[in-house]
Amino acid sequence: MKIRYLLTLLFLSTATFLSAQIWTTEVPYKTTSEVDGVIRDFIKTNDDGFLVLLRTQDSTATFIKLQHTMVKYNSSGELEWDKSYDFGINVPNPFFNSGIASPNNIIQLADDNYLINGILVRDTTINTPYLFITNSLGDSLSFQTTETYYDIQQVNDRIWGIRRDGDLQQSFLSELDEMGNLVNETSLENANSRNLLVGPDENVFNRTGLLFRKYNLNGEIIVEQDTDFFSPEFFITNELAGMTVFGEQLIKFDNDLNIIWELEYEELFPWTASLFFSPAYEGLIRTQSNDYIIFGSVLDDNNNSIGVYLYKYSKDGDFIWGGVYPFDILPYNYIKGLVEVKDGIVTLGGNRYTNKIELIKLYPNGLGVPTSTTEVAFTTTDFRIFPNPVSSQLTIEFSDATTGQVQLINAQGQRMTTENIFF
């Protein structure tokens, strides 16, 4: 029987790793390739705990029934409560033989209640947006079907979202109350996207087409900036009352949308130049010291995730720590959330080989940061591997003298062997 192995080469130049994990907690749900998008959102709560938002499958249903699930942990990663909601789904939609309650994102309000938006598919209805409110213990307080609000966020105890009209030609800034009811709505001049960022000074940032724009609350354009074909995935505010955005680039803007600094794709992901790997963009956070952490998955040339990356940059755009981490260092092949706490970093991710979803708390200087190098990453030299697939003996032939470490990892993400090489 032939077994095909994934070979991962990790060269560290005599690096010594610090202990990576403070604690690890397995979330009591499984991740599979059949049910994608299990992890929906992840926040630090007002009591310094953590809330995980999931879309899970009800195994007792006679049809495909996906539920809205919330799992609450305390600051030590201990489970406090775990609740699922189906919002009355008891028969499948006849077109799909399924019923779906799919949450999107969650915020905790000033009164400690949680506000969550999502999409329903039930009975004969398709893609019905909803807003759901619970108390801090997950008890249901309010449920209503609504307009589709994107990028719901809370700024200065006011709740904001963005809505687009039916033909997607116009975007509206929507203010909601703490029960999810519409308070006020303003048309954003020349905007038709669903990007929204409200700053602490209550200026509004949006990207439409090839332009970044700043608006006032009346929807009037104050200033705009050409994006140079850059379409970011994530927007956060910065200490300049401007915004910092992340995708193929990491760019910091001031309050007038002047570029303070920008990091290009090749600077953010240097390993893409020599390896057939590419990044998936999963998140951007601003730390308490106004620095930035970006994170995401590493994809091979078949679009399979083989590990994750974490990078921290200073508020001035300088590299602090980070790199690409394979399974034996961080047991994820995708990462979906990261929050900063006073004594470290808490990450949320999963592994489709082990089917586990885990919360992992790391030290403040990241994960497995070497003490003698500035970068942990997949690097390579010229080599030849044969045979592939392999049944018993694998040969690696290098073109030059090489010092480093070879790890053999099978298709289930299990490390089969580790060998140090010196020649």
Side-chain angles (χ1 to χ4, degrees):
M1 177 180 177
K2 291 185 176 180
I3 302 173
R4 185 169 185 173
Y5 293 96
L6 169 68
L7 184 68
T8 301
L9 301 177
L10 183 62
F11 296 95
L12 299 177
S13 303
T14 67
T16 302
F17 280 97
L18 303 176
S19 178
Q21 302 172 13
I22 299 176
W23 52 253
T24 299
T25 297
E26 183 176 349
V27 179
Y29 292 92
K30 300 298 181 182
T31 179
T32 69
S33 57
E34 290 78 17
V35 183
D36 197 18
V38 175
I39 301 174
R40 310 303 292 173
D41 204 359
F42 173 53
I43 63 170
K44 184 172 72 171
T45 56
N46 295 344
D47 61 357
D48 293 326
F50 311 99
L51 189 70
V52 178
L53 185 65
L54 304 171
R55 183 179 67 190
T56 62
Q57 185 164 359
D58 181 358
S59 60
T60 66
T62 57
F63 57 95
I64 298 174
K65 181 179 178 181
L66 303 183
Q67 303 178 117
H68 171 134
T69 295
M70 297 161 65
V71 189
K72 173 68 167 62
Y73 294 88
N74 66 15
S75 60
S76 300
E78 298 166 332
L79 180 66
E80 292 188 341
W81 51 263
D82 170 10
K83 297 186 179 182
S84 294
Y85 318 82
D86 64 12
F87 307 126
I89 297 174
N90 48 37
V91 296
N93 179 280
F95 301 103
F96 303 103
N97 192 37
S98 63
I100 299 173
S102 181
N104 289 328
N105 67 289
I106 184 168
I107 57 175
Q108 188 166 23
L109 306 176
D111 59 7
D112 287 342
N113 292 340
Y114 298 112
L115 171 64
I116 312 99
N117 68 336
I119 296 291
L120 279 180
V121 176
R122 65 178 180 185
D123 303 326
T124 58
T125 63
I126 301 175
N127 294 343
T128 302
Y130 68 83
L131 290 175
F132 180 49
I133 298 174
T134 77
N135 63 17
S136 61
L137 299 177
D139 300 321
S140 176
L141 299 179
S142 173
F143 174 85
Q144 59 177 307
T145 58
T146 64
E147 299 284 352
T148 301
Y149 298 114
Y150 302 97
D151 283 343
I152 291 179
Q153 51 202 258
Q154 181 177 228
V155 181
N156 302 332
D157 294 337
R158 300 174 75 178
I159 303 166
W160 303 96
I162 193 168
R163 181 183 71 83
R164 293 196 290 176
D165 62 9
D167 58 6
L168 307 182
Q169 297 301 307
Q170 180 61 54
S171 297
F172 298 87
L173 176 67
S174 305
E175 183 179 3
L176 309 176
D177 66 19
E178 291 191 345
M179 296 307 292
N181 300 308
L182 182 64
V183 175
N184 186 45
E185 193 165 71
T186 302
S187 174
L188 293 178
E189 182 182 352
N190 295 336
N192 61 11
S193 76
R194 61 183 189 181
N195 301 127
L196 175 69
L197 180 65
V198 181
D201 57 359
E202 297 189 342
N203 283 317
V204 178
F205 297 98
N206 172 270
R207 176 195 169 275
T208 294
L210 298 179
L211 293 171
F212 287 115
R213 293 192 179 101
K214 183 176 79 168
Y215 296 83
N216 59 28
L217 291 184
N218 294 322
E220 300 164 335
I221 297 174
I222 301 173
V223 65
E224 61 185 21
Q225 171 72 261
D226 190 344
T227 68
D228 193 25
F229 298 99
F230 172 50
S231 179
E233 303 280 338
F234 300 94
F235 300 70
I236 59 172
T237 57
N238 58 44
E239 81 281 6
L240 304 177
M243 67 175 176
T244 302
V245 300
F246 168 56
E248 293 182 353
Q249 298 170 264
L250 181 64
I251 304 178
K252 183 175 182 178
F253 297 91
D254 67 14
N255 189 250
D256 292 320
L257 291 180
N258 298 307
I259 295 177
I260 304 302
W261 50 258
E262 57 185 314
L263 298 176
E264 301 290 342
Y265 183 87
E266 295 79 8
E267 296 175 90
L268 291 177
F269 312 108
W271 36 272
T272 60
S274 58
L275 295 175
F276 296 107
F277 297 148
S278 60
Y281 316 114
E282 299 293 354
L284 163 69
I285 72 163
R286 171 184 166 191
T287 69
Q288 297 171 9
S289 56
N290 294 316
D291 300 324
Y292 303 99
I293 300 176
I294 62 173
F295 58 93
S297 302
V298 178
L299 307 179
D300 64 16
D301 53 359
N302 293 316
N303 215 36
N304 298 313
S305 179
I306 62 168
V308 300
Y309 64 85
L310 303 172
Y311 288 100
K312 185 174 183 179
Y313 291 91
S314 75
K315 63 182 180 181
D316 299 316
D318 299 319
F319 175 84
I320 298 177
W321 57 255
V324 176
Y325 305 96
F327 300 135
D328 66 319
I329 300 177
L330 185 61
Y332 297 149
N333 60 8
Y334 66 93
I335 184 170
K336 288 292 186 180
L338 184 150
V339 297
E340 183 188 34
V341 294
K342 63 182 179 180
D343 58 345
I345 300 164
V346 178
T347 63
L348 173 68
N351 190 314
R352 290 191 178 92
Y353 298 129
T354 63
N355 288 338
K356 290 183 179 180
I357 299 173
E358 292 179 296
L359 279 177
I360 300 177
K361 184 175 181 181
L362 313 176
Y363 288 98
N365 60 345
L367 191 153
V369 178
T371 59
S372 59
T373 65
T374 59
E375 175 79 3
V376 183
F378 289 112
T379 61
T380 188
T381 187
D382 291 334
F383 62 90
R384 186 165 67 96
I385 301 172
F386 58 92
N388 186 22
V390 62
S391 59
S392 59
Q393 183 173 345
L394 180 71
T395 299
I396 306 174
E397 185 178 274
F398 295 90
S399 60
D400 298 303
T402 302
T403 298
Q405 188 180 84
V406 175
Q407 296 177 1
L408 188 63
I409 299 174
N410 68 14
Q412 285 71 48
Q414 300 166 322
R415 183 172 58 182
M416 308 301 292
T417 185
T418 299
E419 301 292 337
N420 294 314
I421 54 175
F422 304 93
F423 60 84

